[in-house]
Amino acid sequence: MGIDSLQSATVALLKTAHDKHGDKLIYPCALGSEGVVQIDLICRHVPGIRIMTLDTGRLPQATYDLMQQLQDRYHLQLDIRFPDAQAVEKMVREHGVNLFYESLENRKMCCGVRKIEPLRKALAGMGAWITGRRRDQAENRQSIQQVENDPVFGLLKYNPMLDWTEADIWQYIRDNDLPYNRLHDEHYVSIGCECCSRAITAGEDPRAGRWWWEQQDTLAECGLHVTSLGGRTGESGEGI
Ligand code: SF4
């Protein structure tokens, strides 16, 4: 599918979602490469869709710079959500500031406090949410549908970027001179918290850039796109 067709299909699904859900629709965006493309399409074609992002308190400066660039370019009021300060204080007091390196349990606790709970709050009362998930990001994404029931948050989930490839995304970014996270130029593929993201080398699985100290079977999921909060489907991180 060419870029024009991809763009038309994505905009059509975004419009369908917005027509159906109105202000009960939200796009939680992690500001990855597909995220900036989808933000561009939303701002130009369906500007009524609310775009939110999470400030976990541990993001790279490059991500904050991108947030500002996007707000300036589109006159966009990003809905920036934060973790509960008392929950973060308690976790750090009891488990240390770098707890995530010590065990899988600690890492999931940190993702829970800094990401999942704030997202759960943001989604409360919503009817549907939008993701930036793509089929080419993982083998187990081939069966993902454009519109799905989300059993984790009890909402409809729209996946308008499903058929875009990595190459399509970067072609669109270049063609439209979009701002993007400069860490991508340093071989970061998936960018989350600064302490939990790294550059990858040629041929490495993109998900190896997240929580790389963990075993392969526990890599690359923070719990946002899971069939239950205890399981995982192989999400690489876009969608927060
Ligand atoms: S990615 Fe790392 S720092 Fe960020 S919330 Fe998860 S464990 Fe915590």
Side-chain angles (χ1 to χ4, degrees):
M1 204 185 284
I3 293 283
D4 289 347
S5 303
L6 287 166
Q7 186 177 334
S8 302
T10 296
V11 169
L13 188 59
L14 289 168
K15 282 183 174 165
T16 298
H18 189 239
D19 288 347
K20 181 167 182 188
H21 301 283
D23 61 3
K24 299 289 186 193
L25 177 69
I26 191 165
Y27 175 33
C29 182
L31 310 179
S33 53
E34 51 277 282
V36 297
V37 170
Q38 193 151 238
I39 285 176
D40 182 76
L41 293 173
I42 287 173
C43 290
R44 290 197 298 117
H45 300 285
V46 205
I49 293 177
R50 191 192 318 176
I51 303 170
M52 65 145 287
T53 195
L54 292 178
D55 181 352
T56 63
R58 304 291 302 240
L59 299 179
Q61 182 58 39
T63 303
Y64 293 112
D65 291 345
L66 176 60
M67 277 184 205
Q68 190 62 55
Q69 281 179 290
L70 290 166
Q71 296 196 119
D72 292 345
R73 176 175 173 129
Y74 299 106
H75 308 290
L76 173 67
Q77 188 63 53
L78 268 176
D79 180 1
I80 304 175
R81 302 297 181 100
F82 300 85
D84 179 79
Q86 288 186 339
V88 173
E89 285 173 10
K90 181 173 184 296
M91 177 178 71
V92 168
R93 192 165 51 241
E94 294 177 359
H95 300 280
V97 75
N98 285 329
L99 72 162
F100 31 80
Y101 293 136
E102 291 171 8
S103 68
L104 178 61
E105 184 184 21
N106 279 4
R107 196 270 284 171
K108 285 187 170 178
M109 180 192 308
C110 187
C111 282
V113 167
R114 292 184 186 272
K115 292 182 182 179
I116 296 175
E117 280 311 310
L119 180 63
R120 195 190 298 280
K121 279 187 195 161
L123 295 182
M126 292 288 124
W129 64 309
I130 294 167
T131 84
R133 294 194 299 168
R134 307 197 321 269
R135 282 203 177 94
D136 77 339
Q137 285 169 319
E139 277 295 312
N140 58 5
R141 289 201 180 171
Q142 300 309 310
S143 61
I144 293 176
Q145 303 299 308
Q146 287 195 317
V147 186
E148 301 176 310
N149 283 312
D150 179 349
V152 177
F153 296 107
L155 306 173
L156 272 185
K157 181 152 74 175
Y158 288 82
N159 303 305
M161 303 296 291
L162 216 48
D163 293 324
W164 292 66
T165 64
E166 179 84 12
D168 297 327
I169 293 288
W170 285 101
Q171 184 183 332
Y172 187 93
I173 288 173
R174 280 193 300 274
D175 289 351
N176 293 281
D177 196 23
L178 299 190
Y180 62 87
N181 195 315
R182 62 179 176 268
L183 289 176
H184 289 305
D185 293 336
E186 298 173 24
H187 308 291
Y188 284 70
V189 175
S190 175
I191 303 166
C193 294
E194 191 275 338
C195 43
C196 297
S197 307
R198 67 164 188 176
I200 61 169
T201 53
E204 226 180 345
D205 186 324
R207 290 174 296 162
R210 301 290 290 278
W211 308 300
W212 60 92
W213 62 90
E214 295 179 353
Q215 297 298 310
Q216 283 298 314
D217 63 351
T218 64
L219 273 175
E221 178 62 79
C222 62
L224 301 179
H225 296 289
V226 290
T227 51
S228 72
L229 285 176
R232 69 179 59 213
T233 59
E235 173 67 17
S236 69
E238 174 52 21
I240 304 289

